[in-house]
């Protein structure tokens, strides 16, 4: 009950974020333009295939993962840290809420806000695609939505968790952007670096299997893995590999590893955030 | 049962002792003033009552419940106007109050009546970000009053209010108290506390320096009245004669101005009569009762050493 009260209040507040709706407009325009070029000029965008809704799904996933990660940071970095910094948390916690009610309420409220924005964006995007292609595979779209909502939940959880670790928004910003930069931009070099160190500061002929696991750590990579496991036929029909595990012979080299990675990101940062928030003097 | 009980409450932030072994009991049904200069530890003490901060040692109970272990139960039964709060800029006044109703699960809350009572009804559907400081203070007071709590904790409630608003705040506090609500409020201004409190605690640098009723505090000062007389033709001999009377603690002549200080039981009239009998022409006089303000200053300015 307490969690729901906080979530409702938080949704009403965060849904009015101008930055969120600004970002949504940019991404809707971008996705419509890209969908248009994917359908009209398939050779430019994805050579060697006929445009299909399935292909479009994986194509859209790339844009969506960028949109979700950026908006999650913009909408959620202040979730707890911002309230602590300006003092509205005193109104919140003068009422009978546990700190975990506050944290989960924030999580639900911000997830609802992001899901709403995403639903609007995807409705426009897929509506446009349907108009261009003349057909729409409902099951494919629904599975895509399920995977995307999971991914959204994960990113919101990560950023809310980060926000709960500190009472300073500038620190929360640094941590959230740092997370994004390290895991979504720089991560490619980490497996290579790890192998380099593990191999006595030289690179082996062949990369060991465990580097595959390290590569799967970024949430957006895990999201693609999840999509691949949910839509195997669609993934197979594409000319490019959506999943990098093909050449690796290990029990974990399956797309389903994405679920494990997402579960990790869903739980661990939030747990750390809760631990820090619970013990904090406001 | 005490409404609030502090037992050796101590809170240390690094090297700074914000609250230092505070013992205090607030009885049920009273209006209790918590007085001290800025930075004395008032807000830290209140923050412990609300479980915003955890004590280094000692304990605090509210309505017989441990302020840390049973904080949720405590916060169900109290209404709070915190210090240095911030409203939700993007939510309306009404949405703020609705949030309290949802949070405390209040049945049949009359949100309209509460808004009327604190005079923000006409701004109810405007976003609180556009409220003036005084309106925000009223809004949060309304949030505190919702659901008729057993105890009101008000941290510097008059902040940002104009004199009219401060008077209204005082009336609301008194009306709530008449209905049986215990009121605990902090202030750094004696005047506000003096007007309505049953009892007062004065705290300075984290330590309790006095707890008493207003009259009790007044009684603790030796000299309470200063009589300033514009006396034509008074000389040193007149002053000496006055000085020798009982209840008079001093009498100083400065030109035509005679300044006489009396203890509590001294009669101002007797002094004036005695001067008249000595042939001194009394053109005018003024009386200055030593205020609690002076007492407060006396309690809190002695040996002020600010920890660096």
């Amino acid at each position: 009950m307490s969690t729901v009260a906080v979530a409702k209040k938080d949704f009403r507040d965060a849904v009015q974020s101008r930055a969120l709706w600004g970002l949504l407009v940019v991404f809707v325009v971008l996705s419509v333009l890209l969908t248009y070029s994917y359908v009209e000029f398939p050779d430019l965008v994805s050579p060697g295939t006929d445009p299909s809704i399935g292909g479009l799904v994986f194509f859209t996933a790339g844009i969506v993962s960028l949109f979700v990660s950026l908006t999650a940071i913009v909408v959620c970095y202040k979730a707890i840290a911002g309230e602590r910094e300006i003092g509205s948390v005193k109104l919140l916690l003068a009422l009978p809420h546990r700190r975990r009610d506050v944290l989960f309420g924030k999580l639900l409220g911000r997830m609802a806000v992001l899901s709403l924005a995403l639903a609007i964006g995807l409705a426009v995007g897929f509506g446009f695609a349907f108009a261009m292609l003349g057909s729409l595979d409902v099951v494919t779209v629904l599975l895509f939505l399920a995977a995307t909502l999971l991914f959204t939940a994960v990113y919101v959880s990560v950023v809310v968790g980060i926000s709960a670790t500190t009472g300073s928004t500038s620190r929360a910003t640094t941590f959230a952007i740092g997370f994004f930069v390290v895991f979504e931009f720089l991560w490619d070099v980490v497996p290579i670096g790890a192998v380099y160190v593990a191999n006595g500061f030289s690179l082996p002929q062949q990369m060991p299997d465990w580097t595959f696991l390290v590569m799967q750590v970024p949430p957006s990579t895990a999201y693609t893995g999840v999509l691949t496991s949910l839509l195997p036929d669609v993934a197979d029909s594409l000319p490019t590999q959506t999943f990098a595990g093909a050449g690796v012979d290990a029990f974990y080299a399956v797309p389903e590893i994405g679920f494990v990675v997402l579960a990790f990101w869903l739980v661990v940062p939030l747990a750390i955030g809760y631990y820090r928030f619970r013990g904090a003097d406001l | 049962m005490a409404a609030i009980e502090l037992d050796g409450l101590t809170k240390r932030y690094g090297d700074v002792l914000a609250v230092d072994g505070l013992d205090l009991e607030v009885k049920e049904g009273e209006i209790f003033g918590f007085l001290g200069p800025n930075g004395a530890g008032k807000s830290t003490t209140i923050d412990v009552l609300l479980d915003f901060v955890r004590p280094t040692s000692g304990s605090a109970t509210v309505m017989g419940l441990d302020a840390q272990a049973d904080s949720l139960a405590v916060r169900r039964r109290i209404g709070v106007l915190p210090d240095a709060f911030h409203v939700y800029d993007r939510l309306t006044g009404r949405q703020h109050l609705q949030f309290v109703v949802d949070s405390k699960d209040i049945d049949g809350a009359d949100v309209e009546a509460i808004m009327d009572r604190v005079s923000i009804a006409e701004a109810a559907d405007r976003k609180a970000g556009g409220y003036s400081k005084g309106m925000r203070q009223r809004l949060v007071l309304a949030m505190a009053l919702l659901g008729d709590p057993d105890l009101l904790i008000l941290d510097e409630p008059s902040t940002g209010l104009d004199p009219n608003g401060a008077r209204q705040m005082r009336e609301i506090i008194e009306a709530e108290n008449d209905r049986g609500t215990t009121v605990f409020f902090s202030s750094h201004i004696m005047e506000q506390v003096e007007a309505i409190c049953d009892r007062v605690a004065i705290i300075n640098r984290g330590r309790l320096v006095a707890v008493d009723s207003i009259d009790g505090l007044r009684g603790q000062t030796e000299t309470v009245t200063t009589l300033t007389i514009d006396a034509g033709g008074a000389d040193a001999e007149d002053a000496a004669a006055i000085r020798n009377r009982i209840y008079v603690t001093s009498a100083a002549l400065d030109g035509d101005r005679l300044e006489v200080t009396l203890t509590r039981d001294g009669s101002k009239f007797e002094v004036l009569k005695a001067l008249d009998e000595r042939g001194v022409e009394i053109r005018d006089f003024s009386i200055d009762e030593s205020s609690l303000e002076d007492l407060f200053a006396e309690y809190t300015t002695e040996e002020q050493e600010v920890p660096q």
Side-chain angles (χ1 to χ4, degrees):
Chain A
M1 187 58 223
S2 181
T3 306
V4 175
V6 175
K8 184 174 136 194
K9 190 265 329 166
D10 201 53
F11 177 84
R12 283 178 163 179
D13 188 16
V15 80
Q16 298 185 50
S17 158
R18 293 209 182 112
L20 166 70
W21 299 109
L23 273 172
L24 181 65
V25 168
V26 170
F27 275 87
V28 165
V29 169
L30 193 68
S31 86
V32 164
L33 281 177
L34 287 172
T35 303
Y36 178 77
S37 38
Y38 175 78
V39 177
E40 288 296 301
F41 316 105
D43 285 343
L44 277 179
V45 183
S46 173
T49 45
D50 290 331
S52 68
I53 192 74
L56 192 62
V57 157
F58 275 91
F59 182 67
T60 310
I63 309 171
V64 164
S65 77
L66 189 62
F67 171 71
V68 167
S69 48
L70 286 181
T71 45
I73 291 172
V74 168
V75 173
C76 303
Y77 80 98
K78 277 192 189 170
I80 305 274
E83 289 224 24
R84 281 175 66 185
E85 189 168 274
I86 62 173
S88 54
V89 77
K90 291 187 174 181
L91 295 187
L92 192 56
L93 281 173
L95 294 166
H97 300 295
R98 291 186 199 89
R99 299 214 181 165
R100 70 158 180 268
D101 299 329
V102 170
L103 198 64
F104 283 123
K106 288 275 170 190
L107 192 66
L108 290 180
R110 308 267 152 153
M111 270 182 199
V113 168
L114 235 68
S115 303
L116 175 70
L118 203 60
I120 293 171
L122 289 178
V124 174
F126 281 124
F128 182 72
F130 178 67
M132 298 277 305
L133 291 167
S135 73
L136 199 66
D137 181 5
V138 176
V139 175
T140 304
V141 170
L142 285 181
L143 285 172
F144 173 76
L145 279 179
T148 304
L149 283 180
L150 174 65
F151 177 63
T152 306
V154 165
Y155 244 102
V156 170
S157 183
V158 167
V159 183
V160 169
I162 287 173
S163 188
T165 60
T166 172
S168 139
T169 52
S170 52
R171 231 181 266 170
T173 315
T174 310
F175 291 158
I177 292 177
F179 178 89
F180 181 73
V181 169
V182 168
F183 288 104
E184 303 292 6
F185 272 124
L186 304 178
W187 198 254
D188 285 351
V189 303
V190 170
I192 299 169
V195 169
Y196 183 71
V197 173
N199 199 47
F201 297 95
S202 66
L203 282 177
Q205 290 294 314
Q206 205 192 343
M207 296 295 256
D209 286 350
W210 58 262
T211 54
F212 166 79
L213 268 188
V214 180
M215 280 159 54
Q216 300 306 304
V217 165
S220 62
T221 309
Y223 170 54
T224 314
V226 165
L227 274 178
T228 308
S229 96
L230 288 177
L231 302 166
D233 298 341
V234 179
D236 284 346
S237 72
L238 297 178
T240 47
Q241 287 281 333
T242 58
F243 180 69
V248 183
D249 183 24
F251 73 93
Y252 47 75
V254 288
E256 284 74 17
I257 188 77
F259 283 105
V260 178
V261 173
L262 288 189
F264 172 85
W265 287 123
L266 191 64
V267 173
V268 173
L270 197 68
I272 295 170
Y274 174 62
Y275 175 76
R276 295 264 304 168
F277 183 45
R278 192 186 54 180
D281 282 344
L282 303 178
Chain B
M1 188 181 61
I4 295 174
E5 199 168 355
L6 307 180
D7 188 9
L9 187 70
T10 302
K11 178 64 185 178
R12 181 186 287 280
Y13 291 105
D15 289 346
V16 181
L17 212 49
V19 176
D20 185 4
L22 216 55
D23 295 308
L24 192 65
E25 188 184 323
V26 177
K27 298 187 189 86
E28 245 176 300
E30 67 180 342
I31 302 183
F32 193 95
F34 196 43
L35 197 65
N38 291 327
K42 303 186 298 286
S43 287
T44 304
T45 305
I46 291 178
D47 284 350
V48 171
L49 296 178
L50 303 173
D51 196 32
F52 290 173
V53 307
R54 281 65 190 251
T56 309
S57 64
S59 70
T61 63
V62 180
M63 310 279 187
L65 298 160
D66 187 272
Q68 267 60 52
D70 300 320
S71 176
L72 210 60
V74 167
R75 285 178 282 144
R76 272 195 201 106
R77 296 181 57 185
I78 63 178
V80 183
L81 194 164
D83 166 55
F85 64 83
H86 195 283
V87 295
Y88 294 102
D89 290 345
R90 298 190 288 219
L91 300 183
T92 66
R94 194 188 301 280
Q95 285 171 334
H96 277 81
L97 294 168
Q98 187 57 46
F99 178 49
V100 177
V101 172
D102 292 346
S103 298
K104 285 189 163 175
D105 232 342
I106 303 167
D107 287 330
D110 196 344
V111 170
E112 303 298 324
I114 288 271
M115 286 190 295
D116 227 21
R117 213 165 148 212
V118 300
S119 316
I120 53 159
E122 75 284 357
D125 294 309
R126 270 166 45 200
K127 287 185 185 172
Y131 283 15
S132 68
K133 183 84 184 68
M135 284 165 79
R136 289 172 198 199
Q137 197 78 4
R138 289 157 197 268
L139 171 61
V140 178
L141 175 66
M143 290 171 75
L145 295 176
L146 262 178
D148 289 328
D150 300 328
L151 167 68
L152 280 173
I153 294 181
L154 313 172
D155 202 350
E156 299 277 359
S158 304
T159 309
L161 296 177
D162 54 24
N164 201 32
R167 183 181 47 76
Q168 202 186 3
M169 172 74 72
R170 209 156 53 222
E171 284 166 6
I172 289 173
I173 289 174
E174 278 171 335
E176 287 298 310
N177 183 246
D178 287 343
R179 286 158 39 156
T181 310
T182 309
V183 182
F184 180 81
F185 83 92
S186 77
S187 178
H188 64 281
I189 301 166
M190 189 65 174
E191 203 188 340
Q192 292 169 354
V193 173
E194 205 175 342
I196 55 166
C197 284
D198 299 316
R199 288 201 306 145
V200 177
I202 299 178
I203 147 173
N204 190 33
R205 285 181 290 133
R207 286 173 164 277
L208 199 63
V209 287
V211 193
D212 211 333
S213 64
I214 296 288
D215 284 342
L217 282 179
R218 272 212 189 93
Q220 286 179 24
T221 39
E222 271 297 303
T223 322
V224 286
T225 311
T226 306
L227 186 60
T228 309
I229 304 156
D230 184 358
D235 54 25
E237 224 169 285
D238 294 322
I242 295 298
R243 199 176 301 129
N244 288 333
R245 299 179 73 89
I246 55 166
Y247 302 129
V248 171
T249 49
S250 76
L253 188 67
D254 179 16
D256 276 352
R257 215 169 62 114
L258 181 63
E259 206 171 273
V260 182
T261 54
L262 302 126
T263 60
R264 234 181 146 58
D265 302 321
S267 161
K268 296 172 282 279
F269 178 71
E270 289 292 329
V271 171
L272 293 173
K273 201 171 122 196
L275 282 172
D276 188 50
E277 278 165 6
R278 292 180 67 88
V280 174
E281 185 201 347
I282 297 170
R283 290 194 288 250
D284 200 1
F285 66 92
S286 65
I287 297 159
D288 184 19
E289 299 270 350
S290 111
S291 66
L292 284 174
E293 203 68 54
D294 302 333
L295 178 70
F296 176 47
E298 193 182 305
Y299 269 128
T300 56
T301 50
E302 281 178 310
E303 23 165 343
Q304 278 278 26
E305 39 175 315
V306 182
Q308 292 299 309

